[in-house]
Amino acid sequence: MKLRFALPALLAALAVLCVAGCGGGGSGATDPATIAPPKTPLYLDVTVQPEGEVKKNVEALAENLAGVSDVGGFAIALLESKVTQEGEGFDFEKEVEPWLGEKAAIFFEEYEEGENFNGYGVAVQTEDEAAASSFVEKQAEGQEGPAKKGSYEGVDFYVSSSDGQTVGVFDGLLVFAEDEEIFKSLVDASEGESLGGEDAYASATAKVPDNSLANVYVDIGGLIEQAGNKIDSETELFLESVGLEPKEATAVASVVPGAEQIEIDLSSDLSGENPPSGDASKLLGSLPASSLAAFASSEFGTRFNEGIDRIDAQGIPGKVPPHKLKSALKKAGIDLEAIASSIGEVGAFVEGSSEHSLTGSFVLQTEQPQQAKNTVSNIGFFLRASHTPGVTAVGGGAAGFSVHSPELGRQPLVVISKGDRIAIGYGLAAAKAALAESGETLADTAAYKEAVSALGNTPIAAFVKVPAAVKLFTKVKPPSSIALQQIELGFESKGTYAAVGTEASGGLATAKLIVGIKK
């Protein structure tokens, strides 16, 4: 028997059904999370039968982006054609759709060092266990080669002789597993402790939108633990410096379709008890209107100061002993604590239409203009005094310095200050654009205004011009398949903007990504 066809075929079917809005019916079936082991690090569930407004939105998006009016029929026809070509055909409408329930999920039991997930399980809700069991039995009998048939805790199953894939039906679910041992662990979870009963999972998924189409739950701390608690020292130091606590964190992402937009909601307790908050949308909106992409963040100074304290306490291995970094720089006229206390918001933008024309700048908003000017001057003086190659002074209305180096390419790195801003740009023009007090800004553009409106009360934190970004991306990395080419062409012609909004409350950081789609 070859059961290997069943998993990819049915997973593909579930994927197209998410887009197609087809499927069985009902919502009273078993939650697939109740058969996932309690420490499952990665869990994805999908609604295979969207209804009402969600169904209409999915269909509208499919027609707008791909020009497919009957996406369900189109996708299922492709699926059946592919499966038939592999010699393992079945009639989806007659043999699967009648018993297919509302939701399905795929999950992995473990993560190993080397970035490999192992121990998968797939659970598909069924409205008719007998029909689902008949389908499994028929497929098993119709394949070549011997099949091992077994039973565990009253649950019958089949095991593929070629790859060990195991499938059975129990608790209103058709269940696949990578092997027999994992299948049995799913049966055990259904009768005892499971992911669905974990407090962390319940807390993380409590705010999942009712109109979501798909959700991904990640136990970030669990992944790190299963990988041997290995985070390289530099990465761990960086995460700590910005207040992130990954070893105790979870995250959930949800896909919410709209008629003219695709929304992804993300929530995480990654930032511990005091996640970054605030509203930097004013700074973001003040960046150049020509920006291809831009972002802004508040409370950077506080995080920067906390990070400097940690780095100073630990030192930089092989370079700076503990408790020496701040004092050494202060002797050179660079007071990191004073700098951090004066920094409020930070932002950045990228401009250009090709890989070779890209420029951009990082900008820091300060509360003490004189401190900003002195800091830039002192750093420039320190670099020149230490005979750093390629450092030259920049004069004019914005004072600072530039660094020329072959590693930087055709443009120098320019650090200048003016008023209450410090700009660190790739090229003088980009750095000056970050300081400009006149000219058209992002806040003046129609796409940006649409993005702010779509985010509602969530402060905007990042913005991307989708057509220009997709066009640039396809130049740098051409699509590897016709399907990807069609998707990218769809976003290039129909996409308007991508916007990210962020906020935090009660130890939980949330983000909202919205991609606007033209009719």
Side-chain angles (χ1 to χ4, degrees):
M1 178 189 77
K2 291 193 295 179
L3 282 177
R4 70 175 69 186
F5 87 94
L7 178 59
L10 281 178
L11 284 181
L14 296 175
V16 300
L17 285 174
C18 282
V19 178
C22 304
S27 59
T30 303
D31 181 357
T34 60
I35 71 162
K39 297 301 180 181
T40 296
L42 179 63
Y43 177 89
L44 164 68
D45 68 58
V46 296
T47 300
V48 298
Q49 187 201 353
E51 298 178 340
E53 184 177 357
V54 176
K55 177 180 173 67
K56 292 179 181 178
N57 289 342
V58 170
E59 292 171 343
L61 285 173
E63 186 163 8
N64 284 343
L65 287 174
V68 178
S69 56
D70 181 14
V71 66
F74 175 76
I76 290 174
L78 287 178
L79 169 67
E80 291 180 337
S81 173
K82 175 176 175 57
V83 173
T84 300
Q85 288 174 6
E86 295 174 356
E88 300 157 341
F90 62 85
D91 187 324
F92 183 89
E93 184 176 356
K94 292 182 179 179
E95 298 183 67
V96 176
E97 193 171 340
W99 54 259
L100 187 63
E102 182 187 21
K103 288 191 174 184
I106 181 169
F107 41 90
F108 295 86
E109 285 194 347
E110 60 184 13
Y111 177 81
E112 294 182 351
E113 185 180 359
E115 302 182 358
N116 293 315
F117 284 100
N118 292 308
Y120 68 75
V122 179
V124 184
Q125 288 182 342
T126 171
E127 294 295 305
D128 187 336
E129 278 197 34
S133 297
S134 296
F135 172 77
V136 171
E137 184 176 359
K138 179 181 178 181
Q139 294 300 316
E141 292 176 350
Q143 304 304 308
E144 298 178 358
K148 174 186 174 182
K149 184 175 181 180
S151 181
Y152 178 72
E153 300 293 339
V155 176
D156 295 331
F157 58 84
Y158 292 92
V159 181
S160 168
S161 59
S162 60
D163 58 13
Q165 181 187 322
T166 305
V167 60
V169 179
F170 62 92
D171 284 1
L173 300 167
L174 188 151
V175 180
F176 296 95
E178 187 172 357
D179 55 39
E180 182 178 342
E181 181 181 355
I182 293 172
F183 184 87
K184 291 178 178 178
S185 75
L186 305 185
V187 175
D188 290 337
S190 71
E191 299 175 348
E193 296 182 352
S194 69
L195 178 66
E198 290 282 288
D199 290 340
Y201 174 81
S203 176
T205 57
K207 294 186 178 181
V208 167
D210 293 335
N211 57 341
S212 66
L213 190 67
N215 306 287
V216 180
Y217 167 80
V218 182
D219 182 351
I220 300 172
L223 288 177
I224 294 173
E225 181 179 353
Q226 291 189 6
N229 288 311
K230 292 184 179 179
I231 302 179
D232 65 78
S233 58
E234 292 183 357
T235 300
E236 187 168 14
L237 186 60
F238 168 76
L239 293 173
E240 289 180 353
S241 70
V242 293
L244 302 183
E245 301 173 6
K247 292 185 178 180
E248 302 294 331
T250 60
V252 174
S254 302
V255 179
V256 182
E260 297 181 38
Q261 66 184 42
I262 301 170
E263 177 179 326
I264 299 177
D265 293 344
L266 174 68
S267 64
S268 175
D269 54 0
L270 182 65
S271 298
E273 296 181 358
N274 297 300
S277 59
D279 182 352
S281 58
K282 185 176 180 180
L283 173 60
L284 179 62
S286 73
L287 298 179
S290 57
S291 300
L292 175 70
F295 85 91
S297 176
S298 62
E299 298 184 354
F300 179 81
T302 300
R303 299 291 174 181
F304 180 72
N305 202 16
E306 292 173 354
I308 289 298
D309 286 342
R310 290 190 179 95
I311 294 173
D312 184 62
Q314 297 181 24
I316 301 176
K319 297 180 180 180
V320 181
H323 305 292
K324 295 294 183 181
L325 177 64
K326 290 193 293 185
S327 59
L329 290 176
K330 187 172 290 187
K331 289 180 181 179
I334 303 171
D335 190 336
L336 291 178
E337 292 180 330
I339 295 171
S341 64
S342 69
I343 296 175
E345 300 169 352
V346 297
F349 65 89
V350 177
E351 299 174 303
S353 58
S354 69
E355 183 179 6
H356 301 292
S357 66
L358 287 179
T359 61
S361 183
F362 188 74
V363 56
L364 297 87
Q365 191 92 38
T366 69
E367 299 174 359
Q368 302 174 24
Q370 189 59 46
Q371 176 71 46
K373 182 178 179 180
N374 292 341
T375 296
V376 171
S377 298
N378 289 337
I379 293 175
F381 178 78
F382 175 76
L383 292 174
R384 290 192 296 273
S386 62
H387 304 292
T388 302
V391 179
T392 58
V394 174
F401 62 92
S402 64
V403 181
H404 295 259
S405 170
E407 287 78 11
L408 293 173
R410 59 187 180 82
Q411 296 274 20
L413 181 69
V414 179
V415 182
I416 53 179
S417 68
K418 182 180 180 181
D420 61 356
R421 289 190 180 186
I422 297 174
I424 305 171
Y426 183 58
L428 182 60
K432 286 186 174 181
L435 304 179
E437 298 176 353
S438 61
E440 191 177 21
T441 66
L442 281 176
D444 297 321
T445 65
Y448 185 86
K449 292 176 182 177
E450 290 179 21
V452 172
S453 176
L455 287 169
N457 295 326
T458 304
I460 188 169
F463 174 81
V464 178
K465 294 176 180 176
V466 169
V470 172
K471 188 174 183 178
L472 174 62
F473 181 77
T474 54
K475 287 182 179 179
V476 176
K477 185 177 177 58
S480 58
S481 67
I482 294 178
L484 285 176
Q485 184 178 15
Q486 290 177 332
I487 292 173
E488 292 181 358
L489 285 174
F491 277 103
E492 185 178 337
S493 62
K494 294 291 186 177
T496 53
Y497 65 83
V500 177
T502 61
E503 54 188 344
S505 177
L508 185 69
T510 60
K512 183 182 294 185
L513 166 64
I514 296 180
V515 180
I517 307 296
K518 291 183 293 187
K519 286 187 177 180

